[in-house]
């Protein structure tokens, strides 16, 4: 499967402003589901008082806030609440009896975990399972129900949350390595500042630490392949741990009766130059007699973030990636990512995704909802 990056995609803006003061950060990580009356939308809420806005539309143009998966005071018992809680990447799917949702949130000890919830309608009320389905630094859950009834949970191991701190700590303890890892003077200056500040940065919460290390992350991912090659020349277990944490893995496992069953399968990892240090935000769909996975790659807070595509005969793989990203930034929209697929108003499959406005990118920054009709062909998929 061969694709060129599409930098002129015909994105259709669907939601470009906050509809309510209760929606703080826009429509990141959008999951769109269609039923007989229209479309439902569930989106990321970070640490807002009310978690996971649920919106409703009859035409994809006019939207209303229908409620929240977890209103204030009704968060899952196992989840952290308040600042730093990070409720991310919700999905909602029709189930045999009502609707099932999956989501990522931090446990009370601060670890990222995946939870399940159920409701009779997407508007709620939603009831979360009393314990996480999966814990230990995992995010971006995705549910796939095969035609035969097998249900699979996909998720990402969030190792990319670890390597910036590991790198800053290494450079703090061995500042002579800055020039070896970052020969460019400007990048070396940024890396040196991050290394010097590490004792203070280390004490921050996860996302505050991420923001504080933003310059170091950009320096390492600007030319990721070359930076990674220089890290490979460093000896010792700490350098090896950094390289290992730069490898992002997506797994899948059967879900039976609300519990994981059998063994997990590694289905995808970052191995394309454009993906840099991570892949995430996957969505798997069946079309044209095969399975397709749309996923995000590179750093979400930069214009290098984009959407890739892979195909397989079975959702557990093996998956064959396109060598180039399927969608990249345009002049109007930056960092397109975290897609979902649902039937559009014309009966064709549509890709729904988030993107930033130029110059407005980062954690807790507004993301718009965009749509794009798809055409699945014998030799690949393209914007319709």
């Amino acid at each position: 499967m061969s694709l060129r990056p599409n930098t002129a995609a015909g994105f259709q803006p669907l939601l470009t402003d906050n509809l309510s003061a209760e929606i703080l950060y826009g429509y990141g990580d959008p999951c769109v589901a269609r039923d007989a009356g229209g479309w439902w939308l569930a989106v990321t809420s970070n640490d807002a008082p009310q978690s996971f806005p649920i919106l409703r539309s009859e035409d994809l143009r006019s939207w209303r806030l229908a409620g929240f998966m977890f209103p204030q005071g009704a968060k899952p018992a196992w989840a952290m609440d308040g600042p730093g809680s990070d409720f991310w990447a919700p999905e909602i799917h029709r189930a045999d009896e009502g609707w099932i949702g999956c989501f990522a949130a931090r446990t009370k000890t601060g670890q990222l975990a995946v939870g399940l919830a159920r409701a009779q309608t997407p508007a709620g009320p939603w009831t979360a399972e009393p314990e996480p389905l999966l814990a230990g630094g995992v995010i971006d859950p995705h549910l796939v129900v095969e035609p035969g009834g097998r249900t699979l949970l996909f998720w990402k191991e969030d190792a990319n949350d670890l390597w910036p701190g590991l790198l800053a700590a290494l450079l703090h303890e061995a500042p002579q390595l800055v020039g070896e890892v970052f020969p460019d003077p400007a990048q070396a200056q940024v890396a040196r500042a991050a290394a010097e500040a590490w004792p203070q940065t280390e004490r921050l919460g996860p996302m505050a630490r991420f923001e504080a290390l933003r310059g170091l992350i950009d320096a390492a991912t600007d030319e990721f392949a070359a930076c990674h090659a220089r890290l490979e020349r460093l000896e010792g277990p700490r350098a090896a741990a950094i390289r290992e944490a730069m490898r992002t893995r997506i797994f899948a496992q059967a879900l039976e009766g609300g519990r994981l069953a059998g063994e997990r399968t590694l289905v995808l990892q970052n191995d394309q130059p454009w993906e840099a240090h991570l892949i995430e935000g996957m969505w798997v769909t069946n079309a044209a007699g095969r399975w397709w996975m749309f996923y995000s790659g590179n750093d979400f807070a930069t214009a290098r973030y984009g959407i890739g595509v892979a195909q397989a005969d079975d959702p557990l793989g093996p998956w064959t990636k396109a060598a180039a990203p399927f969608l990249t930034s345009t002049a109007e929209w930056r960092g397109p990512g975290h897609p979902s697929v649902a039937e559009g108003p014309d009966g064709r499959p549509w890709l729904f995704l988030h993107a930033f406005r130029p110059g407005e990118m980062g954690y807790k920054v507004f993301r718009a909802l965009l749509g794009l009709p798809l055409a699945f062909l014998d030799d690949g998929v393209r914007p319709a």
Side-chain angles (χ1 to χ4, degrees):
M1 182 168 49
S2 176
L3 293 172
R4 293 183 178 180
N6 193 321
T7 56
F11 293 138
Q12 298 193 29
L14 303 178
L15 273 170
T16 58
D17 293 292
N18 279 329
L19 292 183
S20 166
E22 296 176 293
I23 302 175
L24 302 187
Y25 309 115
Y27 312 102
D29 309 330
C31 171
V32 174
R34 186 170 189 180
D35 65 7
W39 291 266
W40 295 95
L41 168 67
V43 296
T44 274
S45 55
N46 297 320
D47 59 359
Q50 309 213 69
S51 298
F52 302 137
I54 306 289
L55 296 98
R56 179 66 167 164
S57 176
E58 282 72 46
D59 57 6
L60 289 182
R61 301 295 175 183
S62 298
W63 295 83
R64 61 179 175 82
L65 178 62
F68 293 86
M69 183 177 287
F70 302 125
Q72 190 168 10
K75 307 291 176 68
W78 56 263
M80 180 188 297
D81 197 1
S85 52
D86 293 331
F87 283 76
W88 290 341
E91 285 192 4
I92 55 174
H93 299 268
R94 188 187 297 276
D96 291 337
E97 298 180 2
W99 290 72
I100 185 171
C102 60
F103 59 93
R106 295 191 185 276
T107 66
K108 294 185 184 301
T109 61
Q111 283 194 331
L112 284 166
V114 167
L116 292 179
R118 300 181 188 276
Q120 289 302 305
T121 75
W126 287 85
T127 301
E129 295 291 332
E131 298 292 337
L133 176 65
L134 191 64
V138 291
I139 65 170
D140 291 354
H142 171 55
L143 288 174
V144 174
V145 180
E146 296 182 82
R150 180 176 67 164
T151 300
L152 298 173
L153 176 75
F154 288 71
W155 71 90
K156 166 201 167 185
E157 284 199 344
D158 197 39
N160 58 278
D161 181 51
L162 302 176
W163 71 261
L166 294 173
L167 180 56
L170 175 64
L171 298 180
H172 175 75
E173 294 184 11
Q176 72 276 9
L177 296 179
V178 170
E180 294 187 38
V181 181
F182 298 103
D184 177 82
Q187 292 181 342
Q189 183 177 2
V190 170
R192 195 169 290 111
E196 292 173 355
W198 176 244
Q200 292 75 42
T201 305
E202 185 180 16
R203 293 195 286 267
L204 300 175
M207 289 310 297
R209 185 168 59 246
F210 172 86
E211 289 294 305
L213 293 172
R214 160 58 50 199
L216 181 65
I217 296 168
D218 288 345
T221 57
D222 189 43
E223 294 180 343
F224 179 74
C227 181
H228 195 273
R230 292 190 290 269
L231 285 167
E232 287 182 332
R233 294 196 289 268
L234 300 183
E235 298 180 353
R238 300 190 68 179
I242 294 168
R243 296 192 297 268
E244 175 64 18
M246 286 177 162
R247 185 65 61 198
T248 306
R249 295 177 175 88
I250 291 174
F251 292 93
Q253 191 169 346
L255 185 67
E256 297 178 0
R259 295 291 181 267
L260 292 171
E263 299 295 324
R264 69 178 188 175
T265 299
L266 173 64
V267 294
L268 215 67
Q269 59 184 351
N270 57 320
D271 54 16
Q272 300 290 327
W274 76 268
E275 298 165 351
H277 64 297
L278 72 91
I279 55 174
E280 59 188 9
M282 76 300 298
W283 187 279
V284 175
T285 191
N286 189 268
R290 71 194 77 171
W291 292 90
W292 305 81
M293 182 189 296
F294 296 90
Y295 65 94
S296 305
N298 215 300
D299 192 328
F300 87 98
T302 72
R304 296 188 297 270
Y305 200 59
I307 294 175
V309 64
Q311 60 178 287
D313 294 327
D314 185 277
L316 292 179
W319 288 90
T320 301
K321 290 180 181 177
F326 179 59
L327 295 173
T328 57
S329 293
T330 68
E332 293 80 18
W333 298 104
R334 302 297 171 86
H338 208 116
S340 61
V341 178
E343 182 181 300
D346 52 8
R348 295 181 294 178
W350 276 43
L351 194 71
F352 298 91
L353 58 138
H354 70 232
F356 295 97
R357 296 186 179 95
E360 302 176 7
M361 305 183 74
Y363 181 55
K364 294 189 178 181
V365 177
F366 177 88
R367 289 180 282 188
L369 173 69
L370 310 180
L372 183 73
L374 296 173
F376 291 94
L377 310 172
D378 291 339
D379 60 347
V381 58
R382 62 173 175 80

